[in-house]
Amino acid sequence: MIPIQQHRDRILAAATELPTERVPLADALGLVLAEQVVSRFAVPLFDNSAMDGYAVRRADAAEGARLRVVADVPAGSALDPALGAGEAARIMTGAPVPSDADAIVPLEATDLGTAISTAPPEWIIVTAEPKPGAHIRHAAEDSPAGTVTVEAGTKLGAWQLSAIASAGHDTVAVVRRPRVAVISTGSELVAPSATPGRGQIPESNSVLLGAALRDAGALVTHTLTVPDDEDELRRVLETATADSDAVVLSGGASVGAFDVVKAVLGPLASVDFDAVAMQPGKPQGFGTAASGALLFCLPGNPVSVAVSFEMFVRPALRAMAGHADIDRPLITRTAGASWTTPPNRTQVLPVVFNDQIAQPASAGGSGSHLVSSLADAEGFAIVPADIERVAEGDAVTVMVLS
Ligand SMILES: Nc1nc2c(c(=O)[nH]1)N[C@H]1C(S)=C(S)[C@@H](COP(=O)(O)OP(=O)(O)OC[C@H]3O[C@@H](n4cnc5c(N)ncnc54)[C@H](O)[C@@H]3O)O[C@H]1N2
Ligand code: MOO
């Protein structure tokens, strides 16, 4: 058996960052920015009103002053009306402040209040004198043109994307989203909606992997299920590797008579199969196809797939997508129950936890077939290989999965 770290190091050495591409902002969520974004514009772009009200010459706008309304400036208007002594322009939030005005009197600070009509009134009386510059949002007060809006290497979320749009860009250069194919192997697998005959089970690994891949920011290129037939697997692999950066296979990785993945890929010099010292998820294969696509060969048991994905596949895909943080957060909790662990293998156990304790998600404990326990799990307890039993009250490390 090889340690988890050895298998992970081998994978991460091969998981090199993907090339960059330019994409519309709508397609960039979650991707890593590949170049500095510099704003084309000042933010705000021009002096504009922060309130619905009246643009005034402050010297004329003492409390009780009666001002003649000579213009109307809605948002989006290019008007710059001249304001003479005792004159005001009605103005809406976001509209450009007339060059002659130096303060905004909000609707509430006039005799007419907020009872607004389509046409501006002829006269208003100021009921509260504005301070100098009141309610004017000045050009460039957030950032001048030419400012770095978002640094290269940043993961793009909703806030970064909106800042980039405000800076005048509708596309961004990003590290390409990994393209990943999923292949489930096993002659026992039928569609979840089918009525399984004797020996058959619903196929669930591709559902788990497809969702986990999308959640990790990957694009799923193919979702294929093949029986335990070597020729068919070879054909499917050709399709899957042709246009993918990685292929994640499940099942057939062990020593059984019909373990097709090992039979087809095992002989290749570019793929290694090993027993990794973890439970579940012991039989693992990893390597590269002739196309350069990474090949992850995971054991078929559903909990093994979930664990293998988190320990090996997800970190690799995050590295390929240019993320600096490739791992899930780890926290420490107190064991809320006692449980046994396998000898000489790191245990990765689905758990539920709160702010104090963690305990197994399944009453059945640690079995790689306990797929229903995954529905409740909030994390994986990671128990080192040299610990034989976790006693209630022990400190445990938990990988947080949400
Ligand atoms: N003689 C030995 N037998 C086994 C060993 C061993 O060391 N010696 N290791 C065991 C361990 S540990 C694991 S894990 C499994 C891994 O086996 P495979 O990777 O070959 O997986 P399969 O046999 O194909 O499937 C295992 C299990 O999972 C079910 N399965 C498979 N695919 C799916 C799917 N897409 N959806 C739902 N369920 C799936 C499958 O029906 C089996 O029950 O080997 C042990 N054996
Ligand atoms: O490694 Mo297997 O995944 O223990 O069940």
Side-chain angles (χ1 to χ4, degrees):
M1 281 199 293
I2 61 169
I4 292 177
Q5 195 59 42
Q6 188 175 330
H7 191 59
R8 191 180 134 103
D9 287 348
R10 170 197 289 168
I11 289 170
L12 290 180
T16 47
E17 192 169 305
L18 293 169
T20 64
E21 65 179 5
R22 186 159 284 282
V23 298
L25 294 184
D27 296 338
L29 180 66
L31 300 179
V32 171
L33 188 62
E35 66 183 12
Q36 245 181 13
V37 171
V38 175
S39 62
R40 293 173 56 218
F41 311 123
V43 181
L45 211 46
F46 47 84
D47 288 2
N48 68 93
S49 178
M51 292 288 215
D52 298 324
Y54 298 90
V56 299
R57 293 153 45 131
R58 187 179 163 268
D60 303 344
E63 187 178 334
R66 191 162 180 264
L67 302 179
R68 198 158 79 88
V69 180
V70 296
D72 197 20
V73 191
S77 164
L79 290 179
D80 187 5
L83 300 182
E87 291 182 344
R90 190 169 74 161
I91 191 164
M92 295 298 127
T93 304
V97 174
S99 307
D100 291 341
D102 55 6
I104 304 293
V105 175
L107 295 176
E108 294 86 339
T110 69
D111 59 333
L112 300 178
T114 54
I116 194 148
S117 59
T118 315
E122 248 182 277
W123 297 91
I124 52 159
I125 295 172
V126 177
T127 56
E129 179 179 297
K131 292 202 167 66
H135 306 302
I136 295 177
R137 305 190 290 206
H138 289 284
E141 74 179 22
D142 189 6
S143 60
T147 304
V148 175
T149 309
V150 186
E151 285 289 359
T154 305
K155 180 184 170 187
L156 296 172
W159 298 356
Q160 289 74 32
L161 292 170
S162 78
I164 292 170
S166 302
H169 304 278
D170 57 10
T171 63
V172 268
V174 291
V175 181
R176 185 158 69 62
R177 192 183 289 285
R179 298 167 56 83
V180 186
V182 174
I183 302 177
S184 294
T185 66
S187 296
E188 72 279 28
L189 305 174
V190 296
S193 58
T195 304
R198 180 174 163 79
Q200 297 183 324
I201 59 163
E203 198 286 305
S204 64
N205 287 345
S206 74
V207 177
L208 185 156
L209 287 169
L213 285 165
R214 289 184 192 96
D215 198 38
L219 180 98
V220 178
T221 50
H222 306 274
T223 305
L224 305 156
T225 300
V226 290
D228 295 321
D229 179 295
E230 293 184 24
D231 287 338
E232 202 160 328
L233 178 59
R234 275 192 200 94
R235 269 198 300 279
V236 158
L237 268 170
E238 200 132 310
T239 309
T241 52
D243 58 355
S244 304
D245 302 306
V247 181
V248 184
L249 301 102
S250 71
S254 187
V255 294
F258 308 100
D259 282 343
V260 280
V261 174
K262 195 166 183 184
V264 169
L265 295 174
L268 302 184
S270 60
V271 183
D272 290 307
F273 282 81
D274 276 297
V276 175
M278 71 178 196
Q279 192 280 321
K282 183 177 66 164
Q284 296 281 343
F286 175 76
T288 45
S291 68
L294 302 186
L295 299 170
F296 294 89
C297 310
L298 314 185
N301 281 308
V303 184
S304 311
V305 169
V307 167
S308 307
F309 182 86
E310 292 298 331
M311 302 302 267
F312 306 123
V313 183
R314 186 176 181 278
L317 293 177
R318 305 245 331 146
M320 289 161 82
H323 293 279
D325 58 326
I326 60 172
D327 288 314
R328 301 276 199 188
L330 298 177
I331 57 174
T332 303
R333 288 292 180 270
T334 302
S338 302
W339 68 84
T340 54
T341 72
N344 306 320
R345 291 157 79 185
T346 299
Q347 185 185 42
V348 187
L349 176 72
V351 289
V352 291
F353 63 87
N354 59 24
D355 53 359
Q356 285 163 2
I357 62 161
Q359 60 189 44
S362 164
S366 143
S368 56
H369 60 296
L370 298 170
V371 61
S372 302
S373 69
L374 289 176
D376 294 324
E378 298 166 324
F380 287 139
I382 300 184
V383 185
D386 57 356
I387 291 181
E388 285 174 10
R389 183 171 181 277
V390 174
E392 189 173 343
D394 285 355
V396 282
T397 300
V398 175
M399 179 191 280
V400 179
L401 290 181
S402 56

PDB file of all heavy atoms in Angstrom, residues 184-186 188-189 201-206 228 250-256 259 280-283 298-302 304 345 368, ligand 1:
ATOM      1  N   SER A 184     -19.001   5.228 -16.014  1.00  0.00           N
ATOM      2  CA  SER A 184     -19.337   4.226 -14.991  1.00  0.00           C
ATOM      3  C   SER A 184     -19.220   2.856 -15.631  1.00  0.00           C
ATOM      4  O   SER A 184     -19.741   2.648 -16.736  1.00  0.00           O
ATOM      5  CB  SER A 184     -20.782   4.400 -14.513  1.00  0.00           C
ATOM      6  OG  SER A 184     -20.923   5.622 -13.841  1.00  0.00           O
ATOM      7  N   THR A 185     -18.554   1.936 -14.936  1.00  0.00           N
ATOM      8  CA  THR A 185     -18.445   0.582 -15.480  1.00  0.00           C
ATOM      9  C   THR A 185     -19.141  -0.417 -14.569  1.00  0.00           C
ATOM     10  O   THR A 185     -19.137  -0.257 -13.350  1.00  0.00           O
ATOM     11  CB  THR A 185     -16.974   0.154 -15.635  1.00  0.00           C
ATOM     12  OG1 THR A 185     -16.385   0.039 -14.340  1.00  0.00           O
ATOM     13  CG2 THR A 185     -16.189   1.143 -16.466  1.00  0.00           C
ATOM     14  N   GLY A 186     -19.737  -1.429 -15.170  1.00  0.00           N
ATOM     15  CA  GLY A 186     -20.356  -2.496 -14.380  1.00  0.00           C
ATOM     16  C   GLY A 186     -21.578  -3.062 -15.085  1.00  0.00           C
ATOM     17  O   GLY A 186     -22.490  -2.318 -15.444  1.00  0.00           O
ATOM     18  N   GLU A 188     -23.807  -4.737 -13.802  1.00  0.00           N
ATOM     19  CA  GLU A 188     -24.947  -4.769 -12.894  1.00  0.00           C
ATOM     20  C   GLU A 188     -25.743  -3.460 -12.905  1.00  0.00           C
ATOM     21  O   GLU A 188     -26.789  -3.356 -12.251  1.00  0.00           O
ATOM     22  CB  GLU A 188     -24.478  -5.063 -11.461  1.00  0.00           C
ATOM     23  CG  GLU A 188     -23.737  -3.931 -10.738  1.00  0.00           C
ATOM     24  CD  GLU A 188     -22.240  -3.801 -11.109  1.00  0.00           C
ATOM     25  OE1 GLU A 188     -21.875  -4.181 -12.234  1.00  0.00           O
ATOM     26  OE2 GLU A 188     -21.469  -3.290 -10.293  1.00  0.00           O
ATOM     27  N   LEU A 189     -25.262  -2.456 -13.641  1.00  0.00           N
ATOM     28  CA  LEU A 189     -25.842  -1.116 -13.509  1.00  0.00           C
ATOM     29  C   LEU A 189     -27.035  -0.901 -14.430  1.00  0.00           C
ATOM     30  O   LEU A 189     -26.979  -1.215 -15.621  1.00  0.00           O
ATOM     31  CB  LEU A 189     -24.772  -0.068 -13.813  1.00  0.00           C
ATOM     32  CG  LEU A 189     -23.490  -0.200 -12.977  1.00  0.00           C
ATOM     33  CD1 LEU A 189     -22.438   0.790 -13.457  1.00  0.00           C
ATOM     34  CD2 LEU A 189     -23.807  -0.015 -11.491  1.00  0.00           C
ATOM     35  N   ILE A 201     -28.370  -3.108  -9.974  1.00  0.00           N
ATOM     36  CA  ILE A 201     -28.563  -1.983  -9.039  1.00  0.00           C
ATOM     37  C   ILE A 201     -28.678  -0.667  -9.815  1.00  0.00           C
ATOM     38  O   ILE A 201     -28.205  -0.574 -10.955  1.00  0.00           O
ATOM     39  CB  ILE A 201     -27.391  -1.859  -8.020  1.00  0.00           C
ATOM     40  CG1 ILE A 201     -26.057  -1.662  -8.765  1.00  0.00           C
ATOM     41  CG2 ILE A 201     -27.321  -3.067  -7.099  1.00  0.00           C
ATOM     42  CD1 ILE A 201     -24.958  -1.141  -7.877  1.00  0.00           C
ATOM     43  N   PRO A 202     -29.296   0.341  -9.209  1.00  0.00           N
ATOM     44  CA  PRO A 202     -29.360   1.639  -9.894  1.00  0.00           C
ATOM     45  C   PRO A 202     -27.973   2.256 -10.016  1.00  0.00           C
ATOM     46  O   PRO A 202     -27.182   2.190  -9.078  1.00  0.00           O
ATOM     47  CB  PRO A 202     -30.241   2.501  -8.973  1.00  0.00           C
ATOM     48  CG  PRO A 202     -30.842   1.592  -7.972  1.00  0.00           C
ATOM     49  CD  PRO A 202     -29.978   0.366  -7.896  1.00  0.00           C
ATOM     50  N   GLU A 203     -27.701   2.809 -11.170  1.00  0.00           N
ATOM     51  CA  GLU A 203     -26.410   3.466 -11.418  1.00  0.00           C
ATOM     52  C   GLU A 203     -26.435   4.831 -10.734  1.00  0.00           C
ATOM     53  O   GLU A 203     -27.267   5.673 -11.063  1.00  0.00           O
ATOM     54  CB  GLU A 203     -26.213   3.609 -12.934  1.00  0.00           C
ATOM     55  CG  GLU A 203     -24.790   3.865 -13.359  1.00  0.00           C
ATOM     56  CD  GLU A 203     -24.301   5.269 -13.066  1.00  0.00           C
ATOM     57  OE1 GLU A 203     -24.966   6.227 -13.502  1.00  0.00           O
ATOM     58  OE2 GLU A 203     -23.271   5.409 -12.391  1.00  0.00           O
ATOM     59  N   SER A 204     -25.536   5.051  -9.773  1.00  0.00           N
ATOM     60  CA  SER A 204     -25.544   6.335  -9.058  1.00  0.00           C
ATOM     61  C   SER A 204     -24.211   7.073  -9.094  1.00  0.00           C
ATOM     62  O   SER A 204     -24.159   8.275  -8.845  1.00  0.00           O
ATOM     63  CB  SER A 204     -25.963   6.123  -7.591  1.00  0.00           C
ATOM     64  OG  SER A 204     -24.999   5.324  -6.925  1.00  0.00           O
ATOM     65  N   ASN A 205     -23.135   6.374  -9.435  1.00  0.00           N
ATOM     66  CA  ASN A 205     -21.832   7.064  -9.386  1.00  0.00           C
ATOM     67  C   ASN A 205     -21.728   8.206 -10.385  1.00  0.00           C
ATOM     68  O   ASN A 205     -21.110   9.230 -10.098  1.00  0.00           O
ATOM     69  CB  ASN A 205     -20.686   6.073  -9.648  1.00  0.00           C
ATOM     70  CG  ASN A 205     -20.449   5.149  -8.467  1.00  0.00           C
ATOM     71  OD1 ASN A 205     -20.939   5.410  -7.376  1.00  0.00           O
ATOM     72  ND2 ASN A 205     -19.697   4.081  -8.682  1.00  0.00           N
ATOM     73  N   SER A 206     -22.327   8.032 -11.566  1.00  0.00           N
ATOM     74  CA  SER A 206     -22.202   9.114 -12.551  1.00  0.00           C
ATOM     75  C   SER A 206     -23.006  10.331 -12.112  1.00  0.00           C
ATOM     76  O   SER A 206     -22.677  11.469 -12.472  1.00  0.00           O
ATOM     77  CB  SER A 206     -22.656   8.655 -13.944  1.00  0.00           C
ATOM     78  OG  SER A 206     -24.057   8.541 -13.999  1.00  0.00           O
ATOM     79  N   ASP A 228     -19.183  -4.585 -18.190  1.00  0.00           N
ATOM     80  CA  ASP A 228     -17.813  -5.085 -18.003  1.00  0.00           C
ATOM     81  C   ASP A 228     -17.347  -5.766 -19.285  1.00  0.00           C
ATOM     82  O   ASP A 228     -17.280  -7.000 -19.375  1.00  0.00           O
ATOM     83  CB  ASP A 228     -17.779  -6.057 -16.809  1.00  0.00           C
ATOM     84  CG  ASP A 228     -18.100  -5.333 -15.511  1.00  0.00           C
ATOM     85  OD1 ASP A 228     -17.649  -4.180 -15.347  1.00  0.00           O
ATOM     86  OD2 ASP A 228     -18.818  -5.895 -14.664  1.00  0.00           O
ATOM     87  N   SER A 250     -15.385   4.968 -12.759  1.00  0.00           N
ATOM     88  CA  SER A 250     -15.629   4.309 -11.477  1.00  0.00           C
ATOM     89  C   SER A 250     -15.912   2.840 -11.719  1.00  0.00           C
ATOM     90  O   SER A 250     -16.511   2.460 -12.729  1.00  0.00           O
ATOM     91  CB  SER A 250     -16.786   4.966 -10.713  1.00  0.00           C
ATOM     92  OG  SER A 250     -18.016   4.691 -11.326  1.00  0.00           O
ATOM     93  N   GLY A 251     -15.462   2.024 -10.758  1.00  0.00           N
ATOM     94  CA  GLY A 251     -15.669   0.572 -10.832  1.00  0.00           C
ATOM     95  C   GLY A 251     -14.543  -0.107 -11.582  1.00  0.00           C
ATOM     96  O   GLY A 251     -13.761   0.539 -12.299  1.00  0.00           O
ATOM     97  N   GLY A 252     -14.457  -1.402 -11.377  1.00  0.00           N
ATOM     98  CA  GLY A 252     -13.515  -2.208 -12.145  1.00  0.00           C
ATOM     99  C   GLY A 252     -12.056  -1.888 -11.898  1.00  0.00           C
ATOM    100  O   GLY A 252     -11.198  -2.152 -12.738  1.00  0.00           O
ATOM    101  N   ALA A 253     -11.766  -1.318 -10.691  1.00  0.00           N
ATOM    102  CA  ALA A 253     -10.386  -0.908 -10.414  1.00  0.00           C
ATOM    103  C   ALA A 253      -9.659  -1.894  -9.532  1.00  0.00           C
ATOM    104  O   ALA A 253      -8.489  -1.724  -9.232  1.00  0.00           O
ATOM    105  CB  ALA A 253     -10.397   0.470  -9.748  1.00  0.00           C
ATOM    106  N   SER A 254     -10.390  -2.938  -9.112  1.00  0.00           N
ATOM    107  CA  SER A 254      -9.823  -3.842  -8.118  1.00  0.00           C
ATOM    108  C   SER A 254      -9.239  -5.092  -8.794  1.00  0.00           C
ATOM    109  O   SER A 254      -8.809  -5.041  -9.938  1.00  0.00           O
ATOM    110  CB  SER A 254     -10.926  -4.178  -7.111  1.00  0.00           C
ATOM    111  OG  SER A 254     -10.418  -4.912  -6.052  1.00  0.00           O
ATOM    112  N   VAL A 255      -9.312  -6.198  -8.072  1.00  0.00           N
ATOM    113  CA  VAL A 255      -8.629  -7.397  -8.549  1.00  0.00           C
ATOM    114  C   VAL A 255      -9.591  -8.472  -9.085  1.00  0.00           C
ATOM    115  O   VAL A 255      -9.190  -9.587  -9.360  1.00  0.00           O
ATOM    116  CB  VAL A 255      -7.768  -8.011  -7.417  1.00  0.00           C
ATOM    117  CG1 VAL A 255      -6.633  -7.081  -7.050  1.00  0.00           C
ATOM    118  CG2 VAL A 255      -8.637  -8.323  -6.188  1.00  0.00           C
ATOM    119  N   GLY A 256     -10.879  -8.089  -9.220  1.00  0.00           N
ATOM    120  CA  GLY A 256     -11.883  -9.072  -9.638  1.00  0.00           C
ATOM    121  C   GLY A 256     -11.663  -9.572 -11.061  1.00  0.00           C
ATOM    122  O   GLY A 256     -10.947  -8.952 -11.859  1.00  0.00           O
ATOM    123  N   ASP A 259     -12.819  -6.917 -13.671  1.00  0.00           N
ATOM    124  CA  ASP A 259     -12.490  -5.523 -13.392  1.00  0.00           C
ATOM    125  C   ASP A 259     -11.869  -4.899 -14.645  1.00  0.00           C
ATOM    126  O   ASP A 259     -10.650  -4.866 -14.839  1.00  0.00           O
ATOM    127  CB  ASP A 259     -11.597  -5.425 -12.149  1.00  0.00           C
ATOM    128  CG  ASP A 259     -12.432  -5.588 -10.871  1.00  0.00           C
ATOM    129  OD1 ASP A 259     -13.670  -5.443 -10.965  1.00  0.00           O
ATOM    130  OD2 ASP A 259     -11.865  -5.858  -9.806  1.00  0.00           O
ATOM    131  N   PRO A 280     -12.703   4.330   2.909  1.00  0.00           N
ATOM    132  CA  PRO A 280     -12.703   3.525   1.684  1.00  0.00           C
ATOM    133  C   PRO A 280     -11.819   4.164   0.614  1.00  0.00           C
ATOM    134  O   PRO A 280     -11.250   5.217   0.845  1.00  0.00           O
ATOM    135  CB  PRO A 280     -14.169   3.570   1.265  1.00  0.00           C
ATOM    136  CG  PRO A 280     -14.648   4.899   1.725  1.00  0.00           C
ATOM    137  CD  PRO A 280     -13.905   5.174   3.005  1.00  0.00           C
ATOM    138  N   GLY A 281     -11.766   3.463  -0.526  1.00  0.00           N
ATOM    139  CA  GLY A 281     -11.037   4.022  -1.660  1.00  0.00           C
ATOM    140  C   GLY A 281      -9.664   3.433  -1.856  1.00  0.00           C
ATOM    141  O   GLY A 281      -8.787   4.064  -2.433  1.00  0.00           O
ATOM    142  N   LYS A 282      -9.467   2.189  -1.446  1.00  0.00           N
ATOM    143  CA  LYS A 282      -8.129   1.590  -1.517  1.00  0.00           C
ATOM    144  C   LYS A 282      -7.627   1.390  -2.952  1.00  0.00           C
ATOM    145  O   LYS A 282      -6.549   1.863  -3.287  1.00  0.00           O
ATOM    146  CB  LYS A 282      -8.122   0.269  -0.744  1.00  0.00           C
ATOM    147  CG  LYS A 282      -6.753  -0.387  -0.694  1.00  0.00           C
ATOM    148  CD  LYS A 282      -6.771  -1.656   0.149  1.00  0.00           C
ATOM    149  CE  LYS A 282      -7.630  -2.741  -0.485  1.00  0.00           C
ATOM    150  NZ  LYS A 282      -7.394  -4.066   0.078  1.00  0.00           N
ATOM    151  N   PRO A 283      -8.402   0.710  -3.831  1.00  0.00           N
ATOM    152  CA  PRO A 283      -7.829   0.492  -5.169  1.00  0.00           C
ATOM    153  C   PRO A 283      -7.960   1.768  -6.022  1.00  0.00           C
ATOM    154  O   PRO A 283      -9.061   2.286  -6.219  1.00  0.00           O
ATOM    155  CB  PRO A 283      -8.691  -0.629  -5.763  1.00  0.00           C
ATOM    156  CG  PRO A 283      -9.856  -0.808  -4.845  1.00  0.00           C
ATOM    157  CD  PRO A 283      -9.743   0.120  -3.694  1.00  0.00           C
ATOM    158  N   LEU A 298     -11.366   5.253 -10.247  1.00  0.00           N
ATOM    159  CA  LEU A 298     -11.810   5.165  -8.853  1.00  0.00           C
ATOM    160  C   LEU A 298     -12.495   3.830  -8.609  1.00  0.00           C
ATOM    161  O   LEU A 298     -13.140   3.290  -9.515  1.00  0.00           O
ATOM    162  CB  LEU A 298     -12.797   6.302  -8.534  1.00  0.00           C
ATOM    163  CG  LEU A 298     -12.424   7.712  -8.987  1.00  0.00           C
ATOM    164  CD1 LEU A 298     -13.464   8.716  -8.485  1.00  0.00           C
ATOM    165  CD2 LEU A 298     -11.045   8.102  -8.486  1.00  0.00           C
ATOM    166  N   PRO A 299     -12.401   3.324  -7.381  1.00  0.00           N
ATOM    167  CA  PRO A 299     -13.141   2.099  -7.069  1.00  0.00           C
ATOM    168  C   PRO A 299     -14.642   2.352  -7.147  1.00  0.00           C
ATOM    169  O   PRO A 299     -15.098   3.484  -6.982  1.00  0.00           O
ATOM    170  CB  PRO A 299     -12.705   1.766  -5.640  1.00  0.00           C
ATOM    171  CG  PRO A 299     -12.158   3.028  -5.082  1.00  0.00           C
ATOM    172  CD  PRO A 299     -11.643   3.834  -6.233  1.00  0.00           C
ATOM    173  N   GLY A 300     -15.401   1.283  -7.388  1.00  0.00           N
ATOM    174  CA  GLY A 300     -16.817   1.455  -7.716  1.00  0.00           C
ATOM    175  C   GLY A 300     -17.751   1.750  -6.557  1.00  0.00           C
ATOM    176  O   GLY A 300     -18.814   2.346  -6.749  1.00  0.00           O
ATOM    177  N   ASN A 301     -17.386   1.353  -5.336  1.00  0.00           N
ATOM    178  CA  ASN A 301     -18.309   1.580  -4.228  1.00  0.00           C
ATOM    179  C   ASN A 301     -18.628   3.073  -4.094  1.00  0.00           C
ATOM    180  O   ASN A 301     -17.721   3.902  -4.130  1.00  0.00           O
ATOM    181  CB  ASN A 301     -17.677   1.091  -2.920  1.00  0.00           C
ATOM    182  CG  ASN A 301     -17.774  -0.415  -2.786  1.00  0.00           C
ATOM    183  OD1 ASN A 301     -18.843  -0.977  -2.918  1.00  0.00           O
ATOM    184  ND2 ASN A 301     -16.643  -1.065  -2.537  1.00  0.00           N
ATOM    185  N   PRO A 302     -19.911   3.404  -3.948  1.00  0.00           N
ATOM    186  CA  PRO A 302     -20.294   4.828  -3.983  1.00  0.00           C
ATOM    187  C   PRO A 302     -19.593   5.714  -2.950  1.00  0.00           C
ATOM    188  O   PRO A 302     -19.218   6.834  -3.261  1.00  0.00           O
ATOM    189  CB  PRO A 302     -21.805   4.777  -3.738  1.00  0.00           C
ATOM    190  CG  PRO A 302     -22.224   3.448  -4.283  1.00  0.00           C
ATOM    191  CD  PRO A 302     -21.085   2.522  -3.969  1.00  0.00           C
ATOM    192  N   SER A 304     -16.691   5.125  -1.694  1.00  0.00           N
ATOM    193  CA  SER A 304     -15.302   5.196  -2.172  1.00  0.00           C
ATOM    194  C   SER A 304     -15.169   6.269  -3.248  1.00  0.00           C
ATOM    195  O   SER A 304     -14.171   6.985  -3.310  1.00  0.00           O
ATOM    196  CB  SER A 304     -14.860   3.860  -2.762  1.00  0.00           C
ATOM    197  OG  SER A 304     -15.174   2.801  -1.902  1.00  0.00           O
ATOM    198  N   ARG A 345      -4.818   1.973   7.584  1.00  0.00           N
ATOM    199  CA  ARG A 345      -5.347   2.811   6.498  1.00  0.00           C
ATOM    200  C   ARG A 345      -5.954   4.062   7.124  1.00  0.00           C
ATOM    201  O   ARG A 345      -6.604   3.973   8.172  1.00  0.00           O
ATOM    202  CB  ARG A 345      -6.431   2.070   5.706  1.00  0.00           C
ATOM    203  CG  ARG A 345      -5.885   0.905   4.883  1.00  0.00           C
ATOM    204  CD  ARG A 345      -6.976  -0.102   4.579  1.00  0.00           C
ATOM    205  NE  ARG A 345      -7.833   0.318   3.479  1.00  0.00           N
ATOM    206  CZ  ARG A 345      -8.921  -0.352   3.091  1.00  0.00           C
ATOM    207  NH1 ARG A 345      -9.291  -1.455   3.714  1.00  0.00           N
ATOM    208  NH2 ARG A 345      -9.641   0.082   2.079  1.00  0.00           N
ATOM    209  N   SER A 368     -18.014   1.230   2.577  1.00  0.00           N
ATOM    210  CA  SER A 368     -17.928   1.950   1.308  1.00  0.00           C
ATOM    211  C   SER A 368     -19.200   1.798   0.480  1.00  0.00           C
ATOM    212  O   SER A 368     -19.385   2.471  -0.510  1.00  0.00           O
ATOM    213  CB  SER A 368     -16.723   1.445   0.526  1.00  0.00           C
ATOM    214  OG  SER A 368     -16.824   0.056   0.348  1.00  0.00           O
TER     215      SER A 368
HETATM  216  N1  LIG B   1     -10.384  -9.944  -3.407  1.00  0.00           N
HETATM  217  C1  LIG B   1     -10.511  -8.614  -3.227  1.00  0.00           C
HETATM  218  N2  LIG B   1     -11.687  -8.070  -3.483  1.00  0.00           N
HETATM  219  C2  LIG B   1     -11.843  -6.751  -3.304  1.00  0.00           C
HETATM  220  C3  LIG B   1     -10.769  -5.963  -2.812  1.00  0.00           C
HETATM  221  C4  LIG B   1      -9.536  -6.578  -2.601  1.00  0.00           C
HETATM  222  O1  LIG B   1      -8.532  -5.967  -2.187  1.00  0.00           O
HETATM  223  N3  LIG B   1      -9.461  -7.925  -2.825  1.00  0.00           N
HETATM  224  N4  LIG B   1     -10.966  -4.638  -2.588  1.00  0.00           N
HETATM  225  C5  LIG B   1     -12.303  -4.263  -2.263  1.00  0.00           C
HETATM  226  C6  LIG B   1     -12.419  -2.837  -2.207  1.00  0.00           C
HETATM  227  S1  LIG B   1     -11.687  -2.072  -0.884  1.00  0.00           S
HETATM  228  C7  LIG B   1     -13.138  -2.136  -3.100  1.00  0.00           C
HETATM  229  S2  LIG B   1     -13.342  -0.453  -2.868  1.00  0.00           S
HETATM  230  C8  LIG B   1     -13.781  -2.722  -4.227  1.00  0.00           C
HETATM  231  C9  LIG B   1     -13.472  -1.920  -5.480  1.00  0.00           C
HETATM  232  O2  LIG B   1     -13.805  -2.664  -6.555  1.00  0.00           O
HETATM  233  P1  LIG B   1     -13.955  -2.109  -8.017  1.00  0.00           P
HETATM  234  O3  LIG B   1     -13.298  -0.780  -8.159  1.00  0.00           O
HETATM  235  O4  LIG B   1     -13.533  -3.164  -8.926  1.00  0.00           O
HETATM  236  O5  LIG B   1     -15.495  -1.793  -8.100  1.00  0.00           O
HETATM  237  P2  LIG B   1     -16.668  -2.759  -8.581  1.00  0.00           P
HETATM  238  O6  LIG B   1     -16.358  -4.114  -8.152  1.00  0.00           O
HETATM  239  O7  LIG B   1     -16.932  -2.498  -9.986  1.00  0.00           O
HETATM  240  O8  LIG B   1     -17.840  -2.160  -7.703  1.00  0.00           O
HETATM  241  C10 LIG B   1     -17.804  -2.148  -6.313  1.00  0.00           C
HETATM  242  C11 LIG B   1     -19.230  -1.950  -5.784  1.00  0.00           C
HETATM  243  O9  LIG B   1     -19.732  -0.715  -6.199  1.00  0.00           O
HETATM  244  C12 LIG B   1     -20.933  -0.876  -6.968  1.00  0.00           C
HETATM  245  N5  LIG B   1     -20.911   0.071  -8.071  1.00  0.00           N
HETATM  246  C13 LIG B   1     -19.999   0.099  -9.064  1.00  0.00           C
HETATM  247  N6  LIG B   1     -20.298   1.066  -9.935  1.00  0.00           N
HETATM  248  C14 LIG B   1     -21.395   1.666  -9.502  1.00  0.00           C
HETATM  249  C15 LIG B   1     -22.186   2.731 -10.002  1.00  0.00           C
HETATM  250  N7  LIG B   1     -21.857   3.373 -11.134  1.00  0.00           N
HETATM  251  N8  LIG B   1     -23.282   3.094  -9.318  1.00  0.00           N
HETATM  252  C16 LIG B   1     -23.615   2.445  -8.176  1.00  0.00           C
HETATM  253  N9  LIG B   1     -22.888   1.421  -7.639  1.00  0.00           N
HETATM  254  C17 LIG B   1     -21.808   1.029  -8.310  1.00  0.00           C
HETATM  255  C18 LIG B   1     -20.847  -2.279  -7.453  1.00  0.00           C
HETATM  256  O10 LIG B   1     -22.084  -2.806  -7.775  1.00  0.00           O
HETATM  257  C19 LIG B   1     -20.168  -3.000  -6.300  1.00  0.00           C
HETATM  258  O11 LIG B   1     -21.099  -3.307  -5.298  1.00  0.00           O
HETATM  259  O12 LIG B   1     -13.323  -4.037  -4.416  1.00  0.00           O
HETATM  260  C20 LIG B   1     -13.354  -4.838  -3.212  1.00  0.00           C
HETATM  261  N10 LIG B   1     -13.053  -6.163  -3.538  1.00  0.00           N
END
